[in-house]
Amino acid sequence: MFDPFSRSYAAARERFREAARAAAGVLQGHTLAGHGPDGCELAVDVALVGARNPRRAIVVSSGLHGVEGYFGSAVQLGWLRRLREGASSIPGGTLVVLLHAVNPFGFAWQRRANEHNVDLNRNFLDDGESYGGVPEHYYRVHDLLNPPTPPSRLDAFRLRAVWAVRRHGLSVLQDAVATGQYEHPRGLFFGGREAAASTRLVQEGFWEWTRGAEQVVHLDLHTGLGLYADYRLLIEPPHAHDLGWYRSRFDPERVVAVGGDTPYAARGVMGAWLARHAARSAYRFACLEFGTYGPLRVLAALRAENRAHHHSMPGASAHGRARRGLVECFCPASRLWRRKALGRALEVVGQAVRDG
Ligand SMILES: [Zn+2]
């Protein structure tokens, strides 16, 4: 039976390229520096399927957060498969753009961040904006999130996190996590010191890929936040005025505005950058975010993997354990999770292609 989930970045990439070619689309491979664990090339692949001179374009991107590409790639592959089988179609005047593995290094090496430990969804700053700073009160949780030692089974992170939340309030931990920081290159949620190669590629290529379409709807696939196998369409500040539009096209209960009422809204978000630079198009963006496990388990997995990456010996068993824990938190092995989450994602993508 066809299973769109792939076991590695290299396998996912090969299958994506094959499926895109079969859909008679245009396929571009943008090779980046470095290689995967099996020596494979790292690239962002872009498939264009549908109208040559589109009125509207639907963009579906995966793997901005590397390891989340296991799920995002499966959604893209599943959609291409449906198209091939005639179970979905593309209306006239519509172009579908699939961006596969925006952070191929993270996907290949099973990290959320890129080769410079950068969270790419905090890396899209404008010229002249400074890659510096931390959220207010960040230093109350920095040491808790980033111990400079290999992971240990004895550090009781969850208890200490609960204690930190009691002491400083949930918002301090949330801000540190959601807002990103630009001062600690080995820390979690580091936004970088300059625009990363993937960032520049999206910034330079996006409007060419959408071929001048007047209407652009962009769904960026993520995992790790929310209820198990369920999803939300997270709408960030530049698009929050337009909630009615999203609610009329998608399940209104799952369309949620985020970041608007927090004083330190996340900087460097991809969708916000594209919104600011959408000169000729009406551009709408949503994070299509699927839940896996509870927030403390996911945070603990991110923390353990980041520690192992920076402070374990290569090949150490603790590193392997931390990596497996991270993959499980961003793409659970459970068949039930995969079936439900994939089915729901394909429904949302189908809705966007039909009436987005
Ligand atoms: Zn993500």
Side-chain angles (χ1 to χ4, degrees):
M1 211 186 79
F2 174 71
D3 179 2
F5 287 87
S6 303
R7 299 176 75 85
S8 67
Y9 162 74
R13 180 178 189 218
E14 197 181 314
R15 297 173 78 197
F16 177 79
R17 291 178 64 84
E18 201 180 298
R21 272 193 217 103
V26 172
L27 181 64
Q28 305 174 359
H30 300 274
T31 308
L32 301 185
H35 56 82
D38 40 12
C40 71
E41 188 177 78
L42 300 177
V44 180
D45 290 291
V46 182
L48 311 180
V49 192
R52 288 200 171 276
N53 295 302
R55 192 172 46 75
R56 47 200 291 279
I58 312 301
V59 182
V60 180
S61 47
S62 72
L64 182 66
H65 284 146
V67 66
E68 297 174 28
Y70 279 94
F71 176 67
S73 169
V75 175
Q76 293 172 324
L77 205 59
W79 184 80
L80 284 167
R81 175 83 172 195
R82 281 194 176 184
L83 186 70
R84 191 175 181 184
E85 289 175 342
S88 45
S89 60
I90 304 176
T94 300
L95 169 70
V96 176
V97 180
L98 304 174
L99 308 185
H100 185 263
V102 180
N103 169 9
F105 174 92
F107 190 167
W109 289 93
Q110 304 178 322
R111 303 209 73 212
R112 190 169 174 276
N114 80 350
E115 61 276 26
H116 300 301
N117 200 44
V118 171
D119 177 339
L120 290 181
N121 210 24
R122 299 292 173 265
N123 187 245
F124 283 73
L125 298 183
D126 271 321
D127 293 346
E129 243 187 300
S130 109
Y131 282 89
V134 297
E136 199 187 13
H137 308 310
Y138 171 79
Y139 288 106
R140 292 180 182 171
V141 293
H142 173 76
D143 290 343
L144 173 66
L145 293 177
N146 302 294
T149 49
S152 140
R153 286 166 187 255
L154 302 169
D155 80 340
F157 167 69
R158 290 193 213 188
L159 262 177
R160 290 165 57 208
V162 169
W163 173 243
V165 166
R166 282 214 186 135
R167 199 162 151 221
H168 306 303
L170 182 61
S171 64
V172 171
L173 193 62
Q174 271 175 343
D175 275 0
V177 171
T179 311
Q181 52 86 10
Y182 296 86
E183 298 295 333
H184 301 278
R186 290 179 158 204
L188 286 172
F189 317 112
F190 173 57
R193 289 274 157 81
E194 59 183 1
S198 292
T199 303
R200 289 199 307 271
L201 180 70
V202 171
Q203 291 176 336
E204 284 158 19
F206 194 87
W207 305 109
E208 192 187 308
W209 299 327
T210 51
R211 290 179 175 159
E214 285 161 34
Q215 306 276 335
V216 177
V217 175
H218 183 179
L219 299 175
D220 191 32
L221 292 159
H222 289 262
T223 51
L225 194 65
L227 298 174
Y228 192 77
D230 205 341
Y231 73 90
R232 288 179 303 175
L233 283 155
L234 304 180
I235 314 298
E236 278 149 344
H239 306 97
H241 66 278
D242 214 12
L243 277 185
W245 185 92
Y246 295 92
R247 290 199 168 122
S248 67
R249 261 95 179 161
F250 302 101
D251 178 350
E253 295 197 352
R254 291 186 166 95
V255 172
V256 179
V258 291
D261 52 354
T262 60
Y264 304 98
R267 298 167 63 206
V269 173
M270 176 172 70
W273 190 94
L274 288 166
R276 290 197 297 276
H277 294 265
R280 291 193 309 268
S281 307
Y283 171 77
R284 292 188 174 92
F285 175 85
C287 274
L288 177 49
E289 174 83 61
F290 280 79
T292 56
Y293 299 102
L296 275 186
R297 174 166 173 184
V298 174
L299 187 58
L302 281 166
R303 175 181 179 267
E305 189 278 334
N306 196 53
R307 283 175 90 179
H309 179 79
H310 294 295
H311 304 293
S312 293
M313 300 295 284
S317 64
H319 197 177
R321 219 171 21 247
R323 239 182 349 222
R324 287 191 295 280
L326 193 75
V327 174
E328 178 62 24
C329 276
F330 288 98
C331 186
S334 149
R335 283 189 192 187
L336 180 74
W337 187 90
R338 291 186 171 195
R339 187 166 49 75
K340 270 196 172 171
L342 181 71
R344 286 171 161 159
L346 289 173
E347 222 170 89
V348 177
V349 172
Q351 270 164 348
V353 172
R354 266 194 318 276
D355 8 86

